[in-house]
């Protein structure tokens, strides 16, 4: 139990500002409360001005921008009802570094609340993950964290009954002492049934009370927000209390009961508000929901169900999991209490869990907290919800690095490909796909691993699919922060194009080191600039001229080791898209022998930051691929339309690993059969002289300039060539799908690569089996 | 198949199917949806709403999930709930009962499956596969040997059906070495894991959990209670089938590209199990 107030992280200046706001010395509860509120995690004090300066947050696809718990994108209309996609993104990096299983599980637990409290029915989660080097000096530690994190995500999401819709995996030594565990949750909501995170305006007419429901409050997660707002100091055991305790079982029942409550209130036209309890616990949640409703709140801590005896400053701000807060009219509250406590019987299924009235909303715009008859907090609502801004200094831009050109004789290209497939950053994530429930809810159309983006049909009977992908390449971010942001968005847009989806919007998670360091702060600014340029240049496929909007997100700073080295700048993007006809989506595996294989996009020999340089030459310097904006964006919209019209048989984007790596993936994907591999077929033969680049074979085959490989029949081929002509981007008919399950590359009249499908499959399939064994 | 047509025609007079929502289950809504697609009314019924259940419903489905967090062992706590007493009563009256995944675990823990004595005779133990343990989510093939169960007649003997599994404790076992051979002889193992070509195996990777005799489902002697580990509700429509499984169903899925959007919601390989269940419910209490 925590009984002594821990250190406060507020700066001297912030403390003076607090005294000025209150007109007196703060109480212990107030000090704890403001410590959380003004932490980087809650206030975005270092990042807010930059985000406001650059990110487009509005547009024809936006129903709800970033100011709520989650963003909402217009999705589709079906049988007279308009539906939106609720989408939220969070990081749980520090907790996962300290206690991987619990830290990652509560990451999922927290992000799903952001979707559910908006009225969204949960339809999926995604998990972009960055771990330390599994072959380096701290390999055992990195492997233990990777296993624990995957286990935590699987345990929580599987039990909650929410399918995994994808993720990505990256291993690098910059994450040795600071893993990144980003989590995305998505939901479906009827647009006129969105639940506001505000006390309804009607509250000024009728008395509204504050109903707290869920797990009894305890000291777990106390100090979580402040922990996330500083560098982990190596005293990891001291921080363990700040990690929350997950319970997906209780959450499942709570979510079902909450949706039942929404339904009853909405059917009867009763206005109400709901918000989840996350950072800053009861005090923060109540202040924010009151502020957004233009009212105040009085919280009575003596009425808060507790799991143990805890002091008031803990009860007020602890981040105990599995709780929601509701603003309900007094006339509806008895029914709500009965629903949670009797019908769904929370107290019987989890010790101490229940719904309880713990306060009321007031016309007077003050936040008051009472404890044993005394007022332990009394502050103006604006004082609590007005976040400070921390001016940060931007360092000089890093010098542009020169990229070495490592070539390979043609006969060594096959071996290089196998090494890349067998590397942790190139191998199959199959062990994760089998640990996560991809099927629950029964909406799966394309699962993670089957194609470049996953697709679900969330409305039964409606053929419109919702597509999702997460992307971000820390190798690029490390070399050029701007390119890290820009390429993350481009890669995500290409992934959606491969399955015929048009982008709707983005939720981002921006992971960096200590923003007080000018170099790190300039990395952050650079990443946001790159991201911003890409969303504007690409734009909405079906609404040209509008940038792809950013509707929610998260900034995670202080991802840095105790010795001071920051993680590779890691802007991570989740892009949501729409597939108009689910019958036209395609998987990435090759299908019909005799079909043509086309390359879309010029090969330019960009090898800086490539998987090839890293794995084969151990060189991680240089500059990331240049971006030919006009050609690349025209190509990705054209490919998206072509696939969306049902004219492609298979499609895969060229990104990390380059063209040969992408083609190998299109062959080995056929091997992931349910009952083990019997036979890998079909295969492919390509002739690289048809590209005519003037580059060496290795430069052509491993260049990471953005592009696509597409399998088409004759009709599809004609359509693709016509689209290329119209769009002004290059396409090359480089080869065909073959009966034999092998990969053959020809150049100068000779076969330079000839690899058996089973050989490719074994390298790729075995890459991560050891790392994730026993998860 | 004629039985199914008859059942569908008569569905308006039939009593609805109850899908029981124990705390922690998570497949109740898509399971009810699959029942409705089979032409029957379905209601999701909370575990503590037991009044008048026997009279109101024509059959019971215990859906998948993690009832009571799999405390002790999957299904143990839920099997002690009063509502399971009602399910036992319904079983004794001959009503069809289907347990899917966690629901199968509950039926086994309640002693309804295999139901040869009053005792719990079998269990669903943690998965056992070479090189890995624990939860496993994938598509598998099962071979139908309807035997005593309500599947026989509705499903063809020897049919091979692709279905997804997702469980950590799906290995049918027993302390009694003679039990499973006896169950097989008595037609009480209606679904067994097999290759795409229909060859039954108890070995990994064909059998994903180490189940005895490759059992994917067991039924009681009377055949009206069925406990299965695969999830037919996740294979109830064509769109849910991954094209990578190949064979007839994979081809049907691939052909969607040339087809029509409405084909997405045509019956998938799991639909036939709901048809068989509803058919049994339509025949009513014997």
């Amino acid at each position: 139990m925590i009984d002594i107030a821990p250190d406060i992280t507020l700066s001297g200046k912030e403390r003076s500002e607090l005294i000025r706001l209150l007109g007196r010395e703060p109480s212990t509860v107030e000090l704890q409360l403001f410590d959380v509120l003004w932490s980087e995690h809650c206030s975005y004090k270092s990042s807010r001005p930059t985000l406001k300066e650059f990110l487009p947050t509005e547009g024809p696809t936006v129903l709800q921008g970033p100011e709520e718990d989650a963003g909402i994108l217009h999705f589709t209309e079906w049988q007279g009802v308009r539906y939106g996609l609720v989408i939220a993104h969070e990081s749980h990096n520090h907790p996962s570094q300290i206690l991987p299983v619990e830290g990652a599980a509560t990451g999922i637990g927290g992000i799903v609340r952001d979707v559910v409290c908006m009225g969204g029915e949960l339809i999926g989660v995604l998990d972009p993950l960055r771990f330390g080097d599994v072959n380096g000096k701290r390999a055992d530690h990195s492997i233990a964290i990777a296993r624990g994190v995957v286990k935590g995500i699987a345990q929580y999401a599987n039990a909650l009954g929410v399918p995994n819709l994808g993720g990505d995996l990256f291993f690098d030594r910059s994450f040795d002492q600071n893993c990144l565990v980003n989590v995305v949750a998505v939901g479906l909501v009827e647009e006129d049934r969105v639940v506001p995170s505000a006390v309804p305006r009607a509250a000024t007419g009728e008395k509204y009370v504050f109903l707290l429901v869920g797990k009894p409050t305890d000291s777990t997660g106390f100090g979580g927000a402040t922990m996330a707002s500083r560098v982990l100091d190596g005293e990891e055991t001291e921080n363990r209390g700040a990690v929350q305790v997950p319970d997906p079982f209780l959450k499942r029942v709570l979510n079902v009961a909450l949706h039942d409550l929404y339904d009853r209130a909405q059917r009867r036209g009763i206005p109400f508000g709901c918000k989840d309890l996350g950072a800053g616990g009861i005090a923060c949640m109540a202040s924010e929901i009151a502020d957004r409703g233009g009212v105040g709140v009085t919280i009575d801590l003596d009425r808060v169900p507790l799991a143990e005896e805890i002091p008031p400053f803990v009860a007020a701000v602890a981040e105990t999991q599995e709780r929601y807060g509701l603003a309900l009219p007094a006339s509806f509250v008895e029914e709500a209490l009965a629903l949670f406590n009797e019908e769904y019987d929370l107290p019987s299924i989890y010790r101490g869990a229940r719904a309880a009235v713990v306060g009321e909303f007031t016309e007077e715009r003050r936040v008051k907290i009472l404890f044993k008859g005394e007022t332990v907090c009394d502050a103006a609502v604006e004082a609590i919800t007005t976040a400070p801004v921390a001016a940060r200094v931007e360092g000089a831009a890093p010098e542009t690095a020169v990229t070495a050109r490592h070539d390979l004789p043609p006969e060594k290209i096959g071996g290089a490909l196998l090494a890349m497939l067998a590397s942790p950053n190139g191998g199959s994530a199959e062990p994760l796909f089998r640990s996560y429930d991809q099927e629950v809810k029964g909406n799966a159309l394309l699962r993670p691993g089957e194609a470049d983006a996953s697709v679900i049909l969330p409305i039964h009977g409606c053929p419109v699919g919702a597509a999702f992908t997460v992307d971000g390449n820390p190798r690029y971010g490390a070399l050029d922060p701007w390119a890290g942001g820009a390429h993350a968005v481009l890669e995500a847009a290409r992934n959606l194009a491969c399955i015929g989806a048009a982008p709707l919007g983005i939720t981002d998670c921006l992971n960096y080191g200590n923003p007080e360091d000018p170099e790190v702060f300039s990395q952050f600014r650079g990443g946001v600039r790159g991201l911003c340029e890409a969303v504007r240049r690409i734009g909405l496929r079906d609404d040209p001229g509008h940038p792809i909007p950013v509707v929610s997100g998260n900034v995670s700073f202080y991802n840095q080791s105790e010795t001071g080295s920051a993680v590779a700048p890691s802007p991570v993007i989740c892009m949501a898209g729409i597939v108009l006809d689910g019958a036209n989506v395609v998987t990435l595996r090759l299908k019909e022998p005799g079909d043509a294989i086309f390359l879309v996009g010029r090969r330019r020999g960009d090898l800086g930051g490539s998987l090839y340089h890293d794995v084969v030459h151990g060189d991680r310097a240089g500059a990331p691929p240049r971006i030919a904006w006009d050609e690349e964006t025209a190509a990705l919209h054209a490919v998206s339309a072509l696939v969306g019209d049902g004219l492609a048989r298979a499609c895969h984007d060229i990104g990390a690993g380059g063209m040969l790596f992408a083609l190998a993936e299109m062959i080995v994907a056929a091997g992931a059969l349910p009952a083990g591999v019997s036979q890998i077929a079909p295969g492919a033969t390509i002739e690289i002289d048809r590209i005519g680049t003037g580059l060496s074979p290795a430069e052509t085959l491993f260049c990471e300039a953005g592009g696509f490989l597409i399998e088409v029949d004759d009709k599809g081929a004609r359509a693709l060539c016509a689209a290329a002509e119209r769009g002004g981007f290059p396409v090359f008919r480089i080869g065909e799908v073959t009966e034999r399950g092998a990969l053959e590359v020809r150049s100068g009249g000779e076969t330079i690569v000839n690899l058996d499908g089973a050989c490719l499959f074994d390298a790729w399939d075995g890459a991560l089996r050891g790392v994730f064994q026993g998860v | 198949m004629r039985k199914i047509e008859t059942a569908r025609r008569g569905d308006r007079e039939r009593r609805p199917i109850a899908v029981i929502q124990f705390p922690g289950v998570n497949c109740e809504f898509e399971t009810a949806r699959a029942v409705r697609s089979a032409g029957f009314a379905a209601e999701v019924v909370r575990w503590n709403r037991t009044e008048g259940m026997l009279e109101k419903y024509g059959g019971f489905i215990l859906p998948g999930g993690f009832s009571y967090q799999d405390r002790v062992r999957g299904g143990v706590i839920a099997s002690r709930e009063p509502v399971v007493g009602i399910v036992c009563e319904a079983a004794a009256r001959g009503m069809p009962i289907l347990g899917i995944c966690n629901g199968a675990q509950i039926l086994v823990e309640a002693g309804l499956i295999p139901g040869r004595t009053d005792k719990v005779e079998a269990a669903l133990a943690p998965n056992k596969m070479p090189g890995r343990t624990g939860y496993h989510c994938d598509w598998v093939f099962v071979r139908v040997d309807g035997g005593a169960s309500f599947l026989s007649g509705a499903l063809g003997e020897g049919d091979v059906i692709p279905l997804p599994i997702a469980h950590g404790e799906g290995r049918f076992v027993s302390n009694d070495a003679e039990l499973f051979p006896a169950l097989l002889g008595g037609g009480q193992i209606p679904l067994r894991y097999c290759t795409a070509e229909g060859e039954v195996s108890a070995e990994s990777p064909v059998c994903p959990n180490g189940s005895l005799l490759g059992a994917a489902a067991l039924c009681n002697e009377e055949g009206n209670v069925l406990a299965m580990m695969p999830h037919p509700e996740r294979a109830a429509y064509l769109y849910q089938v991954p094209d990578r499984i190949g064979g007839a169903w994979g081809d049907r899925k691939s052909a969607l590209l040339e087809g029509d959007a409405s084909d997405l919601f045509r019956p998938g390989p799991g639909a036939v199990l709901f048809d068989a269940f509803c058919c049994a419910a339509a025949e009513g209490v014997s």
Side-chain angles (χ1 to χ4, degrees), chain A residues 359-730:
Chain A
E360 59 181 45
F361 297 98
T362 58
E363 301 240 6
E364 187 190 14
R365 286 187 41 79
R366 296 194 75 77
V367 174
K368 290 184 187 173
I369 303 179
L370 311 178
F371 178 66
K372 293 199 192 305
E374 277 181 48
T375 301
V376 293
C377 169
D378 184 358
V381 172
E382 304 83 64
I384 288 192
T385 53
T386 307
V389 170
R392 303 293 184 204
V393 181
E394 201 173 350
E399 284 173 37
T400 312
V402 178
T403 308
R405 295 178 82 102
H406 297 287
D407 211 345
L408 268 192
E411 68 273 14
K412 290 200 167 167
I413 288 175
L417 173 65
L418 288 176
M420 287 158 65
L421 286 167
S423 72
N425 288 328
S428 166
E430 190 75 4
L432 270 64
F433 302 151
R434 304 282 76 89
S435 300
Y436 296 151
D437 195 338
Q438 301 184 326
E439 309 282 346
V440 66
K441 293 197 78 71
N443 295 333
L445 179 61
L446 288 179
R447 297 152 187 80
E450 291 186 335
D452 284 349
S454 62
V455 184
I456 52 171
L457 298 179
I459 305 165
H460 193 67
C462 171
V464 178
F468 303 94
T469 176
V470 291
D471 296 284
N473 183 339
R475 267 195 308 267
Y476 295 168
L479 296 177
D480 177 350
W482 178 91
H487 276 286
V489 177
L490 266 169
E491 173 75 28
R494 280 199 305 271
N495 285 339
L496 289 186
C498 285
I499 49 106
L504 290 174
I506 277 177
T507 179
D508 60 355
C509 192
L510 309 171
N511 306 272
Y512 294 89
N514 182 349
E516 297 155 48
D517 175 344
E519 192 191 334
V520 169
F521 192 64
S522 71
Q523 291 172 349
F524 164 71
R525 297 263 302 168
V528 175
R529 278 196 201 101
L531 193 162
C532 174
E533 176 153 8
V535 297
R536 290 183 194 284
R537 294 266 203 168
I538 299 169
L540 298 176
R541 184 190 78 181
D542 302 331
D543 235 323
H546 287 282
I548 303 171
V550 181
V551 291
S552 58
N554 174 247
V555 180
S556 174
F557 283 128
Y558 300 96
N559 293 295
Q560 185 145 341
S561 74
E562 59 201 278
T563 51
S565 57
V567 295
S570 302
V572 173
I573 300 303
C574 173
M575 197 181 285
I578 181 170
V579 173
L580 295 175
D581 180 355
N584 288 343
V585 299
V586 290
T587 54
L588 64 85
R589 68 180 179 87
L590 295 174
K591 302 198 177 62
E592 287 294 320
D595 275 353
I597 298 171
F598 275 81
L599 162 70
V600 176
R602 220 175 286 282
R603 299 300 89 199
R604 298 184 309 248
D606 294 284
L607 295 174
S610 66
L611 182 64
Y612 159 73
H613 264 194
D614 186 12
V615 172
V616 181
H617 300 286
D619 181 356
R620 293 136 64 97
R626 294 153 289 165
I627 300 167
W629 287 109
D630 292 346
E631 268 184 23
E632 291 189 35
T633 56
L636 76 85
H637 287 318
V639 167
S640 167
L642 184 90
V643 178
D645 287 341
L647 291 164
R649 201 114 64 181
C651 187
H652 190 23
D653 101 292
I654 301 173
M659 178 178 123
L660 186 61
F661 188 83
L663 187 58
E665 286 185 317
M666 295 174 86
I667 295 172
V668 293
L673 290 171
V677 187
S678 47
Q679 176 197 2
I680 309 263
T685 297
I686 61 168
E687 173 78 58
I688 55 173
D689 299 343
R690 294 185 192 171
I691 307 171
T693 54
L695 301 168
S696 78
E699 288 168 329
T700 304
L701 292 166
F702 296 128
C703 156
E704 297 192 356
F708 299 88
L709 292 176
I710 307 183
E711 175 190 338
V712 281
D713 60 11
D714 290 342
K715 187 179 164 203
R718 283 193 299 275
L720 176 60
C721 292
E725 184 101 6
R726 275 195 312 277
F729 58 89

Side-chain angles (χ1 to χ4, degrees), chain B residues 132-185:
Chain B
R132 63 164 294 148
T133 54
Y135 181 92
H136 190 69
C137 175
D138 204 352
W139 279 68
V140 297
F141 294 95
V142 294
R143 187 187 147 99
V144 179
D145 176 4
S149 79
F150 59 74
L151 300 180
S152 76
L155 278 73
E157 200 77 15
D159 278 0
V160 176
I161 305 178
L163 290 173
I165 54 151
H167 57 249
E169 300 173 355
R171 180 164 53 103
F172 280 107
V173 292
S174 174
N175 287 332
D176 176 359
E178 282 156 29
L179 178 67
F180 273 70
L183 292 176
L184 189 64

Side-chain angles (χ1 to χ4, degrees), chain B residues 129 154 250 264 270:
Chain B
M129 292 170 286
L264 288 163

Side-chain angles (χ1 to χ4, degrees), chain A residues 11-90:
Chain A
S11 68
K13 204 175 140 205
E14 287 166 340
R15 204 183 266 254
S16 313
E17 174 62 14
L18 178 55
I19 292 169
R20 191 190 67 77
L21 273 173
L22 295 172
R24 57 177 163 76
E25 283 287 329
S27 69
T28 317
V29 171
E30 287 161 345
L31 204 52
Q32 290 299 333
L33 175 57
F34 280 89
D35 192 41
V36 174
L37 287 168
W38 289 357
S39 67
E40 188 66 54
H41 181 81
C42 290
S43 71
Y44 292 80
K45 59 188 169 192
S46 304
S47 59
R48 204 156 15 99
T50 302
L51 300 178
K52 271 198 185 317
E53 182 182 345
F54 292 112
L55 296 183
T57 58
E58 290 168 358
T61 57
V62 179
L63 174 65
Q64 174 64 60
E67 56 284 340
E68 277 272 359
D69 292 273
I72 306 179
L73 294 160
H74 293 297
F75 177 48
T76 193
E77 186 172 330
W78 180 248
Q79 296 180 338
V81 179
R82 291 189 60 84
Y83 291 89
L85 294 174
V86 189
I87 186 159
H89 206 161
E90 257 279 10

Side-chain angles (χ1 to χ4, degrees), chain A residues 343, chain B residues 18 20-22 44-57 60 68 78 80-90 93:
Chain A
E343 293 176 44
Chain B
I20 302 174
Q21 182 183 51
F22 292 98
V44 173
V45 183
R46 232 172 20 244
W47 80 100
N48 54 6
R49 300 275 297 243
T50 51
E51 256 171 70
M53 265 186 133
L54 274 178
E55 291 67 39
K56 190 168 175 198
Y57 300 109
F60 293 87
Y68 289 100
R80 268 63 169 175
E81 284 288 347
V83 71
V84 176
I86 290 172
V87 170
C88 291
E89 172 72 34
R93 292 194 194 178

